[in-house]
């Protein structure tokens, strides 16, 4: 017999952070801190990367470090971000989703 989950017993969707613009060694640290704070409180975070117009190796390093520590989901990466991940060979390692809705809809790992 299957007993339905009572309302509220399922984890809520992960919070979304939607940065815009360019991310390099001058401003990636503040984005990383925001992601870490949200992830510490909620157990993970969705990064809506659709409005990131430039990202360098410091951004990539921050993403990889965060990915190792928490449930980081990257949603709808811009062409430039997707290209960075592809060139670095991490596009198959990271949790990348085509849409924000897809990234938020999946269950959290247990």
């Amino acid at each position: 017999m299957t007993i339905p989950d009572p309302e509220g017993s399922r984890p809520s969707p992960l919070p979304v952070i939607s940065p815009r613009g360019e991310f390099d060694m001058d401003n990636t640290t503040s984005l990383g801190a925001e992601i870490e704070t949200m992830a510490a409180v909620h157990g993970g975070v969705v990064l809506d990367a659709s409005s990131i117009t430039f990202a360098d190796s410091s951004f990539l390093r921050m993403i990889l470090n965060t990915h190792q520590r928490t449930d980081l989901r990257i949603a709808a990466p811009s062409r430039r971000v997707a290209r960075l991940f592809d060139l670095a060979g991490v596009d198959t390692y990271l949790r990348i989703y085509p849409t924000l809705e897809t990234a938020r809809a999946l269950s959290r790992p247990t």
Side-chain angles (χ1 to χ4, degrees):
M1 177 171 153
T2 303
I3 301 171
D5 284 348
E7 190 173 316
S9 67
R10 293 183 184 179
S12 61
L14 293 175
V16 176
I17 295 176
S18 301
R20 299 182 183 284
E22 299 182 354
F23 290 90
D24 57 25
M25 63 186 233
D26 292 331
N27 60 0
T28 296
T29 303
S30 60
L31 175 60
E34 183 180 0
I35 291 171
E36 289 291 330
T37 299
M38 295 296 277
V41 172
H42 300 282
V45 68
V46 176
L47 176 68
D48 176 359
S50 62
S51 296
I52 297 175
T53 58
F54 174 81
D56 70 0
S57 61
S58 60
F59 173 84
L60 180 61
R61 182 175 47 251
M62 181 271 299
I63 291 294
L64 292 171
N65 289 338
T66 304
H67 171 81
Q68 291 178 340
R69 290 191 297 273
T70 192
D71 181 7
L72 173 64
R73 301 175 189 185
I74 301 164
S78 66
R79 274 191 9 226
R80 290 190 177 185
V81 171
R83 178 80 172 137
L84 174 66
F85 292 159
D86 178 54
L87 287 172
V90 298
D91 54 330
T92 57
Y93 172 71
L94 297 171
R95 293 181 210 89
I96 302 172
Y97 302 90
T99 67
L100 181 58
E101 293 77 21
T102 304
R104 292 194 86 209
L106 297 174
S107 298
R108 295 185 193 190
T110 55

